[in-house]
Amino acid sequence: MTSAFRRSSGLPRGLEWQDKLSSLYLLPSGIVSGEQAAAAVISGNGWPIADGQLAFTAGAVLLRDGAQTWLAMASYSELVDWANSEGEEVARHMGQLVRRMGARRPDWAGLALDRPVIMGIVNTTPDSFSDGGKNLDPQTAIDHAFAMVEAGARIIDVGGESTRPGAAAVPHDEELARVLPVIRALAEKDVVVSIDTRHAAVMGPAVEAGARIINDVTALEGEGALEVAARSGAAVCLMHMQGEPQTMQADPAYVCAPLDIYDTLAARIVACEAAGIPRAKIATDPGIGFGKTVDHNAQLFASLALYHGLGCPILLGASRKSVIAKMSKGEGPGDRLPGTLAAHLSGLDAGAQIIRVHDVVETVQAVKVWLSIRSAS
Ligand code: 9MG
């Protein structure tokens, strides 16, 4: 695996900042929790992340320069001194970033984000990469979803069109016929449902049927999607994808994957706000496996905390994806649970609030152990 960044010997100093601020990013590191987080913040050696249960005590300043991104590490207090010594513009830019990182995240779709939210996957499709065909019958899908809720899932993500690499498009009425009975049955019992779709024509009826979240792998780029999502009042998840499912894995290319994706998500948040979707309703997702090589995915896992700078909850979805097998020894989708857990727990360490999974029982156990350890720190 290769890093997305090049090591710099020190923090960037004395630059003409006014034309460089948009190339300046902060990747929080040295993330601690519980009493350690509180002690770091009180002593001025750290800053809270999202809800105050986590704090970062150091950070990487990332500076893009053409095709290269330079990385300089510093402790939190060195970062503060540095930002203040580089002039008003840098202090303001860094101040906005850390304020966004530290702001408490309000409930999302009515869910408190003070402990990890597990989103269970129900694909009512014949061709999804891992569970394709298993939940095509609505009653089977509904039973499976209730079992996931019983096991601890707090959201059920219902999809009626596969977005796996190479998947074919499905007519909207077919997609609706697959998802609506499942959404209705779950919503009737007050289950929080997200509709996994990239089509405005599906989003509207799905929300009317009771879905509280629109999970769109194209970050509401499709025709009419922003308007429908805004009108619906639903929470949204903006996921990053490069290209189209048919071809996205052909030759994914970035100047710097973590930062290119950060910029795209930032622009989509601005578009949402302009359309009337408040930031409080938005979650962001770097889109593991969607138009990314193994190196790109590894870089995203390693820099996930960067996305706290967008000021929204982070959703991470690595469940059973081919990247897990590519990082290991080529296991089939049904044998990727251990790698999936490792990837998701690393996401929780970075402060991700929501994880999207197939295997709820096993994930709940892993998260409970993770929480016990975290709450002792
Ligand atoms: C629908 N879908 C498939 N993979 C996903 C991921 O990683 N994140 C989100 N939000 N949705 C996904």
Side-chain angles (χ1 to χ4, degrees):
M1 303 295 146
T2 53
S3 171
F5 315 121
R6 293 201 62 180
R7 192 186 327 137
S8 160
S9 53
L11 291 163
R13 292 192 189 272
L15 303 180
E16 295 292 326
W17 282 111
Q18 57 275 29
D19 53 318
K20 291 195 172 57
L21 286 175
S22 62
S23 312
L24 182 63
Y25 305 79
L26 177 63
L27 169 57
S29 69
I31 295 176
V32 293
S33 57
E35 288 304 315
Q36 294 174 21
V41 174
I42 288 166
S43 62
N45 288 308
W47 186 261
I49 292 181
D51 65 355
Q53 293 184 31
L54 298 181
F56 66 99
T57 59
V61 169
L62 305 172
L63 185 63
R64 274 197 204 248
D65 182 11
Q68 288 194 342
T69 301
W70 294 95
L71 170 151
M73 282 300 299
S75 69
Y76 175 73
S77 37
E78 282 169 340
L79 284 174
V80 173
D81 291 345
W82 166 78
N84 289 331
S85 69
E86 283 303 302
E88 235 176 77
E89 286 153 326
V90 176
R92 204 176 316 116
H93 179 78
M94 297 305 281
Q96 191 195 39
L97 271 179
V98 297
R99 266 195 306 281
R100 284 225 168 112
M101 283 178 186
R104 199 189 77 79
R105 305 294 181 249
D107 292 0
W108 186 67
L111 297 168
L113 301 175
D114 55 356
R115 64 192 159 96
V117 174
I118 296 174
M119 172 189 261
I121 302 169
V122 175
N123 288 314
T124 63
T125 54
D127 57 341
S128 289
F129 76 98
S130 161
D131 53 356
K134 283 194 184 153
N135 293 303
L136 205 47
D137 165 51
Q139 195 53 52
T140 310
I142 293 163
D143 292 346
H144 181 51
F146 280 125
M148 285 179 159
V149 172
E150 185 70 18
R154 286 203 280 159
I155 304 173
I156 298 296
D157 191 37
V158 181
E161 179 189 55
S162 173
T163 47
R164 73 178 159 76
V170 173
H172 302 330
D173 52 354
E174 169 91 42
E175 194 180 337
L176 282 167
R178 290 177 183 171
V179 297
L180 289 183
V182 182
I183 295 172
R184 281 195 195 104
L186 298 175
E188 222 167 71
K189 300 284 181 204
D190 230 18
V191 174
V192 178
V193 177
S194 70
I195 172 66
D196 154 20
T197 188
R198 51 200 182 115
H199 306 296
V202 175
M203 291 170 189
V207 174
E208 272 167 36
R212 288 196 230 166
I213 301 164
I214 296 170
N215 175 29
D216 183 359
V217 298
T218 69
L220 301 177
E221 291 257 24
E223 208 183 318
L226 276 174
E227 293 73 19
V228 170
R231 224 177 304 127
S232 76
V236 300
C237 176
L238 305 177
M239 198 202 79
H240 175 273
M241 169 167 70
Q242 186 180 80
E244 283 288 314
Q246 292 274 356
T247 51
M248 64 189 177
Q249 287 308 108
D251 187 21
Y254 298 86
V255 178
C256 172
L259 300 189
D260 292 0
I261 291 165
Y262 183 98
D263 289 346
T264 303
L265 290 173
R268 294 311 297 156
I269 292 170
V270 170
C272 280
E273 288 185 313
I277 304 171
R279 199 175 280 254
K281 290 207 164 167
I282 303 173
T284 58
D285 181 339
I288 297 298
F290 282 80
K292 280 119 192 159
T293 63
V294 188
D295 264 359
H296 298 144
N297 288 308
Q299 291 165 2
L300 291 176
F301 286 124
S303 15
L304 196 69
L306 182 69
Y307 300 96
H308 291 299
L310 295 169
C312 298
I314 299 173
L315 192 153
L316 182 68
S319 191
R320 300 187 190 172
K321 288 187 178 172
S322 65
V323 59
I324 301 294
K326 287 177 188 155
M327 287 178 172
S328 178
K329 54 174 187 155
E331 296 86 343
D335 292 319
R336 296 175 188 164
L337 177 59
T340 298
L341 292 173
H344 283 157
L345 293 182
S346 89
L348 297 186
D349 282 340
Q353 287 92 347
I354 308 149
I355 47 178
R356 182 180 178 274
V357 310
H358 294 90
D359 302 287
V360 173
V361 172
E362 295 81 353
T363 305
V364 166
Q365 185 186 103
V367 169
K368 278 187 174 163
V369 172
W370 179 89
L371 274 171
S372 295
I373 296 166
R374 205 186 78 160
S375 62
S377 61

